[in-house]
Amino acid sequence: MSIVFSGIQPSGTITLGNYIGAIKQFISLQNQHTCYFCIVNQHAITVPQDPDQLRRNSRKLAALYLAAGLDPEKVTLFIQSEVPAHAQLGWIMQTISYVGELERMTQFKDKSKSQGKSIPAGLLTYPPLMAADVLLYNTEIVPVGDDQAQHMEITRDLAHRFNQRFGTLFTIPKTQLPPTGSRVMSLQNPEKKMSKSDPNQNAYISLLDSPKQIEKKIKKSTTDSGNEIRYDPQNKKGISNLMALYASFTGETFDQIEQKYLEKGYGQFKLDVADVLIEGLKPLQDRYYQLIESSHLDQILSDGAEKANEVATKTLTKVEKAIGLSR
Ligand code: AQP
C-alpha cells in the first residue's frame, strides 16, 4: 500500500483531458492505496478568477470527483485553501527554488503569454506550491497527465534539495502517467493540449456537456484531409486524438478500431465517437446532478479537510523545526 496524492484546479468545468489523464487513474488507485485528492483552488488563482465562479467551480469539482467514482469512505477529498499548511509549506519551498528553474517551466511560459505585461508572480511560483501539496502527505505516487510531468520533476528536485540541506525529511514521489490518454489534445488545434480554460469552447468537451454539445463539438473537430481511420499521432493528429478518446471509453485497442473502421470514413467515425462519449458520460452526469444539490457534499469536504489538516500539520511542524522556524 502506497500514499497517493493528486489535485485538479477548479479553473473551469473539468474536461475529458482531466478525466482520462487524471481522474480515471484516481479511481483505480483508491482500492489499493491511501489516497488524498485535492481541489487546488490556490493554484487556480494564479490567473484571475471571478470569486463566485471559483466558489461554484470548487463545489462542482468535488461533485464531479465523486460522480466519477471516488468513494469518500476510501479517499480523503478536500479543498486546498482549507488546509493552511499547503500555503505555509509552499512559501518555504519558494525560498529554496531558483527563479531560473521556475522560468524554464513550459506552463509558466504558455500561461504568462496570455497575461500581457502584468504577469502574476503566482504563475511563476506555482511549482513550489505544487511541491508542498505533494510533500505534505509523504506521497509516493502522483497520478497526473503528461503536462504535469515537468512540475513533478521540479517537485522531486526540491525535495532532494531540502533533504540535502536540512536532513532527510521528505519522501521522493514518483509520477504515474495513464497508459493511454496522457495528453488529450484540443479538438480545434490538435497541436495543443485540451484545457478547461481554453477560451474556445469547441476545443474541449467538459464532463457536463449535453449530448447535443458533444455531438456538435466532435463533428466540428479538426481532422486532416484524408479519410482513413489510422492511429498515427505524427501525421494524423486530429483523428488519432479522437481514436484515443474512443479507445479510452470502449477499452478497444487502436488495431481493433482500425479494423472496425476499414471501410468507413471520418463522418461515421465521428458520429460513433460522439455516441460512445455521450453514453459513457451519462451515468456520471446523472450522479453529478444528485450530488451537487446535497449538503452531504459539504460534509464530505469538511471531513476531508479535517483529516488532511491532521497529516499536513505534522509534516509542516517537522519542516519548520528542521529549518529553524521554531523557538
Ligand atoms: N489534455 C490533457 N490530457 C491529459 N491530462 C490532462 N490534464 C490536464 N489536461 C490534460 C491533467 O489533469 C489534471 C488536472 O490538471 P489541472 O487542473 O491541475 O491543471 P492543468 O494541467 O493546467 O489542466 P487544464 O485543464 O489545462 O487547466 P487550466 O486550463 O486551468 O490550465 C493533471 O493531472 C493534468 O496533468
Side-chain angles (χ1 to χ4, degrees), residues 6-23 25-26 40 43-44 47 49 61 65 107 111 126 130 143-149 177-178 181-186 192-198:
S6 197
I8 299 185
Q9 299 180 69
S11 43
T13 306
I14 52 177
T15 68
L16 284 180
N18 306 128
Y19 179 65
I20 296 170
I23 294 191
Q25 299 199 75
F26 303 172
V40 288
H43 282 285
V47 294
Q49 301 286 344
L61 178 52
Y65 267 126
Q107 180 176 289
K111 288 200 173 177
Y126 184 113
M130 176 162 157
V144 284
D146 180 55
D147 65 311
Q148 292 297 332
L177 300 178
S182 66
R183 186 175 283 256
V184 176
M185 307 311 279
S186 153
K192 230 176 79 174
K193 78 165 190 123
M194 183 181 282
S195 269
K196 62 177 116 57
S197 60
D198 196 314

Side-chain angles (χ1 to χ4, degrees), residues 47-272:
V47 294
Q49 301 286 344
D50 171 76
D52 283 334
Q53 190 71 35
L54 180 60
R55 257 188 293 275
R56 266 199 302 278
N57 280 340
S58 300
R59 231 175 151 266
K60 210 167 164 180
L61 178 52
L64 280 168
Y65 267 126
L66 299 171
L70 284 188
D71 178 349
E73 299 291 323
K74 294 183 182 158
V75 308
T76 303
L77 178 64
F78 66 102
I79 296 183
Q80 187 184 28
S81 63
E82 295 179 10
V83 182
H86 285 250
Q88 289 169 286
L89 183 61
W91 171 253
I92 293 169
M93 299 317 281
Q94 271 189 55
T95 65
I96 64 161
S97 304
Y98 306 131
V99 172
E101 65 189 349
L102 299 180
E103 281 176 341
R104 281 196 292 277
M105 293 294 110
T106 311
Q107 180 176 289
F108 170 69
K109 289 191 222 167
D110 288 348
K111 288 200 173 177
S112 51
K113 271 186 213 144
S114 56
Q115 301 300 314
K117 283 199 178 123
S118 309
I119 300 167
L123 263 188
L124 182 69
T125 56
Y126 184 113
L129 178 58
M130 176 162 157
D133 298 339
V134 170
L135 299 174
L136 276 171
Y137 299 93
N138 305 310
T139 304
E140 295 160 279
I141 302 173
V142 183
V144 284
D146 180 55
D147 65 311
Q148 292 297 332
Q150 198 185 26
H151 286 164
M152 276 307 300
E153 273 318 301
I154 200 167
T155 294
R156 291 161 54 83
D157 288 347
L158 292 176
H160 272 300
R161 197 174 297 160
F162 183 97
N163 285 351
Q164 271 172 356
R165 284 195 200 165
F166 303 106
T168 304
L169 205 148
F170 290 134
T171 306
I172 311 295
K174 286 199 180 77
T175 307
Q176 181 174 303
L177 300 178
T180 45
S182 66
R183 186 175 283 256
V184 176
M185 307 311 279
S186 153
L187 297 178
Q188 289 297 306
N189 174 5
E191 303 278 343
K192 230 176 79 174
K193 78 165 190 123
M194 183 181 282
S195 269
K196 62 177 116 57
S197 60
D198 196 314
N200 181 354
Q201 293 192 6
N202 287 326
Y204 60 84
I205 290 182
S206 103
L207 296 196
L208 295 177
D209 277 350
S210 67
K212 263 203 174 128
Q213 285 170 312
I214 295 176
E215 196 179 299
K216 189 182 111 207
K217 289 180 186 184
I218 296 289
K219 273 189 182 164
K220 279 187 158 206
S221 64
T222 305
T223 42
D224 58 277
S225 55
N227 208 23
E228 191 191 359
I229 315 298
R230 182 163 48 82
Y231 188 71
D232 178 356
Q234 288 305 318
N235 302 306
K236 291 170 81 69
K237 290 193 165 68
I239 211 72
S240 300
N241 191 38
L242 294 183
M243 286 176 79
L245 295 180
Y246 189 93
S248 170
F249 272 69
T250 58
E252 290 175 30
T253 64
F254 295 132
D255 275 351
Q256 286 170 325
I257 301 170
E258 284 174 6
Q259 287 305 316
K260 195 161 158 183
Y261 287 93
L262 263 184
E263 304 294 324
K264 297 173 187 157
Y266 289 175
Q268 181 62 52
F269 182 57
K270 281 184 168 180
L271 284 178
D272 291 357

